[in-house]
Amino acid sequence: MSMFNRLLMIVLFLLFLGIFAVSSTHAHLIEAQSGTLNIVDEGAFMVLPLPISSFHGLDQNSDGRVTLREFTAQRREIMERIRSQVSLRDAAGLCELQGIMLSPVASHDSMQDKLDQIIVMGRFALQAPDGPLHLIADIFGGAKGMQQMKIKVSRRKDSQSDWIVLTTQNASATLFAKRE
């Protein structure tokens, strides 16, 4: 890939992330528990909205709500949890999750400083993009309706797209696998 193409991909990725960064003021831009994974050349770009209840212990003062201050104080721990529970493997092995960005989303119907979601954005660096890909996302919310996650996967090279559903019982999937 030429230097110009790499620079263009970086600019487009940053623009993509910037669009989703405004989601902290508009909570319904992304449906909860419904993410995307877009495979472009040697990268897989992920947007994954997670309920705040996916991250135990954020409510430091035990008042029943997680505030922006509590989120900010534990940003590093949140990122470590994401790195340990969300992964992508290609034929060469585990792909590194790079450039993680977190966007907290406050409830639009609440006058309080209460966070409902964290939108996770990042890029997996693929080493073998043409081989099989396997996604693991074992990070779910506490309520019954938050025990599954839908992810739309698309691949630019051959214009394929697919939906995968991950659950607490099966938190992994092979992407673009033929299903019977």
Side-chain angles (χ1 to χ4, degrees):
M1 181 186 297
S2 74
M3 183 61 127
F4 175 76
N5 285 343
R6 286 181 190 207
L7 183 59
L8 180 61
M9 290 302 296
I10 291 170
V11 169
L12 289 174
F13 179 65
L14 292 174
L15 179 64
F16 179 75
L17 292 178
I19 290 168
F20 284 101
V22 298
S23 64
S24 24
T25 57
H26 301 289
H28 285 85
L29 286 177
I30 298 178
E31 180 184 350
Q33 302 294 112
S34 184
T36 62
L37 185 69
N38 298 309
I39 301 161
V40 179
D41 300 325
E42 290 87 30
F45 300 91
M46 176 184 73
V47 177
L48 195 60
L50 299 171
I52 204 75
S53 63
S54 298
F55 303 94
H56 307 289
L58 293 184
D59 183 10
Q60 294 175 325
N61 62 4
S62 300
D63 67 352
R65 62 190 179 103
V66 176
T67 65
L68 187 56
R69 180 176 297 206
E70 291 168 319
F71 165 81
T72 302
Q74 297 178 75
R75 182 180 288 269
R76 177 171 283 141
E77 291 84 1
I78 294 168
M79 290 177 81
E80 287 175 15
R81 175 133 189 251
I82 291 165
R83 279 191 180 101
S84 71
Q85 294 187 272
V86 179
S87 62
L88 184 67
R89 289 189 175 279
D90 64 14
L94 191 62
C95 303
E96 181 183 357
L97 181 57
Q98 304 170 335
I100 298 175
M101 294 181 64
L102 304 176
S103 180
V105 179
S107 174
H108 74 282
D109 61 350
S110 172
M111 298 305 285
Q112 302 174 3
D113 180 26
K114 178 184 176 191
L115 301 180
D116 291 331
Q117 286 186 37
I118 298 174
I119 298 176
V120 179
M121 297 164 277
R123 176 188 181 271
F124 290 102
L126 300 176
Q127 300 170 54
D130 294 329
L133 298 171
H134 189 76
L135 179 68
I136 300 170
D138 192 9
I139 188 164
F140 298 93
K144 185 175 182 172
M146 298 176 190
Q147 302 297 301
Q148 82 168 17
M149 175 181 331
K150 297 182 299 183
I151 300 174
K152 182 173 184 176
V153 183
S154 61
R155 184 168 50 202
R156 185 174 87 176
K157 179 181 89 174
D158 55 6
S159 300
Q160 284 194 33
S161 66
D162 195 8
W163 281 95
I164 59 171
V165 177
L166 305 177
T167 66
T168 53
Q169 292 79 33
N170 187 13
S172 66
T174 300
L175 308 181
F176 304 109
K178 302 226 189 259
R179 294 179 181 84
E180 310 261 343

